[in-house]
Amino acid sequence: MIKVNPARLLEDLAALRQIGGQGTGVVREAFTATDLEGRRWLARRFTDAGLRPVWDPVGNLFGLPETEKPAVLIGSHSDSQPEGGWLDGSYGVVCGLEIARAAQEAGLQGIAVVSFADEEGTFEPLLGSRVWSGELALSTLQDRTDRMGRKLADTLASVPELRAAKQVPHQLFKAYIEAHIEQGPVLDDAGEAIGVVETIVGMQHVEVVVVGDQNHAGTTPMDRRHDAVMSFVAFAHAVDEAFCSEAGPATVWTFGRVNVTPNATSIIPGRVDAMLQIRDPDQARLNHLAARAQMIAKGISAKRSVEIRTQVVAELPPAPLDAALAGTLIAAAGRLAPGRWRRMVSGALHDAVPVSRIMPSAMLFVPSIAGKSHCFEEDTRSEDLVQGCAVLSAAIETLLLPGP
Ligand SMILES: [Zn+2]
């Protein structure tokens, strides 16, 4: 039986936290010195655990077992946001490392570990997992630059390990399982220990353009104005009210970028550009809400004699995870954390999204204290970190053992 070692798991998490550590958080943006130091540390830990470290051309770091049969791949990412928490991503990678070691101690082979490159989107969100799964071609991204002005091609060329990079074929693996902190408040509020993710939300980005009539803010009477900001406010409010009554339990929506032109005190604004992001696990509902926003735009355009255009400019379909694998996690959670687990939707994107399109994939969440993440306060109780790893290892054991 695989028995994870709680002290070893927590020690490794603490050691990785030191690399790029700042206050209680970490600063390990993809392909910076701290990110690479963290991943070189992981490569050494893989070797110590009997796994062969292999870097692929986009900088994903795999720890591969010496087995013939397809392995179960466990992992996540170890890069961070410009200011990140110590567990986002790292938890899943270190869980994989610990389970690989514990499995070997139990005489079981067949676990591989991965730290996907640039999950947090320094160059591109989920860069490593999307390139590896074939969703993005690395050749089309060479000129991509990050906010520090680095070019992706130069950045990859500057990592010595990548000179010996090798393609890692998908056929080496039969399944992918990612443990992650929830990054939201649901489990913590409910006092629960485990979330089994059944679907990762899809999203639509709806571009909103409001064209009014730019004019003098002192001399234009109120009844002669076609103020783009006031029309945008009316639109956003109406969208909010309509979505509140038509949303599903997991729908969220955000006006995440609003630009006013010209942005001046004494000019009636002539134009607003904004972006409405909608997330939901159900594609039909996503389509419905985007269409609803368009209807509302038409209504307000007519009423206020302005022009409000909406257009879906980016779209990501929901990613349903593998039901059989989720069932294995559910069975393990029911045994080890009875009454303290639930089925969940993930509102955040993870490496499991692209990977789920090429092999059966599953995800497990542990609670985030007060739902905080992408900040230095991000934290999870030690007993929950250990419990999550134990549930994961119990589920994986059933995958490695020959069936009855
Ligand atoms: Zn993450």
mmCIF file of all heavy atoms in Angstrom, residues 76-77 79 87-89 119-120 178 180-181 183 349-351 374, ligand 1:
data_model
loop_
_atom_site.group_PDB
_atom_site.id
_atom_site.type_symbol
_atom_site.label_atom_id
_atom_site.label_comp_id
_atom_site.label_asym_id
_atom_site.label_seq_id
_atom_site.Cartn_x
_atom_site.Cartn_y
_atom_site.Cartn_z
ATOM 1 N N SER A 76 1.683 19.730 -12.081
ATOM 2 C CA SER A 76 1.050 21.044 -12.187
ATOM 3 C C SER A 76 2.168 21.970 -12.663
ATOM 4 O O SER A 76 2.916 21.584 -13.566
ATOM 5 C CB SER A 76 0.478 21.446 -10.811
ATOM 6 O OG SER A 76 -0.338 22.593 -10.914
ATOM 7 N N HIS A 77 2.321 23.113 -12.043
ATOM 8 C CA HIS A 77 3.369 24.047 -12.467
ATOM 9 C C HIS A 77 4.095 24.570 -11.231
ATOM 10 O O HIS A 77 3.558 24.483 -10.125
ATOM 11 C CB HIS A 77 2.744 25.217 -13.235
ATOM 12 C CG HIS A 77 1.757 26.009 -12.406
ATOM 13 N ND1 HIS A 77 2.094 27.169 -11.742
ATOM 14 C CD2 HIS A 77 0.455 25.785 -12.095
ATOM 15 C CE1 HIS A 77 1.040 27.635 -11.098
ATOM 16 N NE2 HIS A 77 0.031 26.821 -11.282
ATOM 17 N N ASP A 79 5.937 27.737 -11.586
ATOM 18 C CA ASP A 79 6.142 29.177 -11.753
ATOM 19 C C ASP A 79 5.047 29.908 -10.965
ATOM 20 O O ASP A 79 4.092 29.284 -10.501
ATOM 21 C CB ASP A 79 6.083 29.582 -13.243
ATOM 22 C CG ASP A 79 4.712 29.355 -13.862
ATOM 23 O OD1 ASP A 79 4.119 28.279 -13.617
ATOM 24 O OD2 ASP A 79 4.206 30.245 -14.573
ATOM 25 N N LEU A 87 1.842 27.918 -2.726
ATOM 26 C CA LEU A 87 1.257 26.611 -3.011
ATOM 27 C C LEU A 87 0.669 26.482 -4.409
ATOM 28 O O LEU A 87 0.487 25.375 -4.902
ATOM 29 C CB LEU A 87 0.153 26.306 -1.982
ATOM 30 C CG LEU A 87 0.652 26.111 -0.555
ATOM 31 C CD1 LEU A 87 -0.519 26.142 0.420
ATOM 32 C CD2 LEU A 87 1.426 24.806 -0.428
ATOM 33 N N ASP A 88 0.361 27.609 -5.033
ATOM 34 C CA ASP A 88 -0.273 27.606 -6.361
ATOM 35 C C ASP A 88 0.642 26.874 -7.343
ATOM 36 O O ASP A 88 1.704 27.381 -7.699
ATOM 37 C CB ASP A 88 -0.511 29.062 -6.794
ATOM 38 C CG ASP A 88 -1.167 29.164 -8.172
ATOM 39 O OD1 ASP A 88 -1.369 28.134 -8.832
ATOM 40 O OD2 ASP A 88 -1.462 30.301 -8.575
ATOM 41 N N GLY A 89 0.226 25.695 -7.767
ATOM 42 C CA GLY A 89 1.049 24.902 -8.690
ATOM 43 C C GLY A 89 2.026 23.999 -7.956
ATOM 44 O O GLY A 89 2.030 22.786 -8.152
ATOM 45 N N GLU A 119 2.765 28.363 -16.626
ATOM 46 C CA GLU A 119 1.314 28.227 -16.493
ATOM 47 C C GLU A 119 0.672 29.591 -16.299
ATOM 48 O O GLU A 119 -0.429 29.855 -16.765
ATOM 49 C CB GLU A 119 0.984 27.301 -15.313
ATOM 50 C CG GLU A 119 -0.469 26.871 -15.239
ATOM 51 C CD GLU A 119 -1.373 27.792 -14.431
ATOM 52 O OE1 GLU A 119 -0.876 28.722 -13.764
ATOM 53 O OE2 GLU A 119 -2.591 27.589 -14.470
ATOM 54 N N GLU A 120 1.384 30.454 -15.566
ATOM 55 C CA GLU A 120 0.764 31.725 -15.155
ATOM 56 C C GLU A 120 0.722 32.761 -16.266
ATOM 57 O O GLU A 120 0.207 33.851 -16.082
ATOM 58 C CB GLU A 120 1.483 32.296 -13.921
ATOM 59 C CG GLU A 120 1.455 31.366 -12.695
ATOM 60 C CD GLU A 120 0.081 31.284 -12.013
ATOM 61 O OE1 GLU A 120 -0.897 31.822 -12.575
ATOM 62 O OE2 GLU A 120 0.003 30.672 -10.942
ATOM 63 N N GLU A 178 -3.998 16.135 -11.487
ATOM 64 C CA GLU A 178 -3.419 17.366 -10.956
ATOM 65 C C GLU A 178 -4.076 17.698 -9.618
ATOM 66 O O GLU A 178 -5.296 17.820 -9.533
ATOM 67 C CB GLU A 178 -3.644 18.511 -11.963
ATOM 68 C CG GLU A 178 -3.093 19.851 -11.486
ATOM 69 C CD GLU A 178 -3.040 20.913 -12.590
ATOM 70 O OE1 GLU A 178 -3.383 20.612 -13.761
ATOM 71 O OE2 GLU A 178 -2.653 22.058 -12.266
ATOM 72 N N HIS A 180 -4.328 20.630 -6.710
ATOM 73 C CA HIS A 180 -4.143 22.080 -6.711
ATOM 74 C C HIS A 180 -4.882 22.660 -5.518
ATOM 75 O O HIS A 180 -5.843 22.054 -5.037
ATOM 76 C CB HIS A 180 -4.700 22.671 -8.026
ATOM 77 C CG HIS A 180 -4.068 23.966 -8.433
ATOM 78 N ND1 HIS A 180 -4.411 25.169 -7.868
ATOM 79 C CD2 HIS A 180 -3.102 24.249 -9.355
ATOM 80 C CE1 HIS A 180 -3.680 26.133 -8.427
ATOM 81 N NE2 HIS A 180 -2.871 25.590 -9.331
ATOM 82 N N ILE A 181 -4.442 23.813 -5.049
ATOM 83 C CA ILE A 181 -5.243 24.520 -4.048
ATOM 84 C C ILE A 181 -6.479 25.082 -4.744
ATOM 85 O O ILE A 181 -6.440 25.396 -5.938
ATOM 86 C CB ILE A 181 -4.437 25.648 -3.375
ATOM 87 C CG1 ILE A 181 -3.825 26.577 -4.436
ATOM 88 C CG2 ILE A 181 -3.360 25.064 -2.470
ATOM 89 C CD1 ILE A 181 -3.312 27.877 -3.889
ATOM 90 N N GLN A 183 -8.055 27.943 -4.458
ATOM 91 C CA GLN A 183 -7.944 29.374 -4.838
ATOM 92 C C GLN A 183 -9.279 30.107 -4.730
ATOM 93 O O GLN A 183 -9.459 31.177 -5.307
ATOM 94 C CB GLN A 183 -7.376 29.553 -6.260
ATOM 95 C CG GLN A 183 -6.037 28.872 -6.458
ATOM 96 C CD GLN A 183 -5.458 29.052 -7.845
ATOM 97 O OE1 GLN A 183 -5.904 28.429 -8.789
ATOM 98 N NE2 GLN A 183 -4.472 29.918 -7.986
ATOM 99 N N LEU A 349 -8.562 28.324 -14.588
ATOM 100 C CA LEU A 349 -7.998 27.421 -15.593
ATOM 101 C C LEU A 349 -6.761 26.739 -15.016
ATOM 102 O O LEU A 349 -6.079 27.301 -14.171
ATOM 103 C CB LEU A 349 -7.605 28.208 -16.843
ATOM 104 C CG LEU A 349 -8.772 28.888 -17.551
ATOM 105 C CD1 LEU A 349 -8.271 29.574 -18.813
ATOM 106 C CD2 LEU A 349 -9.850 27.887 -17.886
ATOM 107 N N HIS A 350 -6.505 25.549 -15.482
ATOM 108 C CA HIS A 350 -5.348 24.805 -15.002
ATOM 109 C C HIS A 350 -4.732 24.048 -16.168
ATOM 110 O O HIS A 350 -5.356 23.889 -17.218
ATOM 111 C CB HIS A 350 -5.781 23.821 -13.910
ATOM 112 C CG HIS A 350 -6.286 24.494 -12.670
ATOM 113 N ND1 HIS A 350 -5.458 25.153 -11.795
ATOM 114 C CD2 HIS A 350 -7.539 24.654 -12.174
ATOM 115 C CE1 HIS A 350 -6.170 25.663 -10.817
ATOM 116 N NE2 HIS A 350 -7.438 25.385 -11.017
ATOM 117 N N ASP A 351 -3.494 23.528 -15.946
ATOM 118 C CA ASP A 351 -2.846 22.722 -16.982
ATOM 119 C C ASP A 351 -3.710 21.536 -17.393
ATOM 120 O O ASP A 351 -3.596 21.037 -18.513
ATOM 121 C CB ASP A 351 -1.476 22.240 -16.478
ATOM 122 C CG ASP A 351 -0.498 23.395 -16.304
ATOM 123 O OD1 ASP A 351 -0.324 24.162 -17.271
ATOM 124 O OD2 ASP A 351 0.077 23.557 -15.212
ATOM 125 N N HIS A 374 -3.019 33.958 -5.475
ATOM 126 C CA HIS A 374 -2.355 35.000 -6.268
ATOM 127 C C HIS A 374 -2.012 36.186 -5.365
ATOM 128 O O HIS A 374 -2.132 37.350 -5.751
ATOM 129 C CB HIS A 374 -3.216 35.445 -7.471
ATOM 130 C CG HIS A 374 -3.219 34.433 -8.586
ATOM 131 N ND1 HIS A 374 -3.789 34.654 -9.821
ATOM 132 C CD2 HIS A 374 -2.678 33.189 -8.653
ATOM 133 C CE1 HIS A 374 -3.623 33.575 -10.582
ATOM 134 N NE2 HIS A 374 -2.959 32.690 -9.889
HETATM 135 ZN ZN ZN B 1 -1.978 27.271 -10.502
#
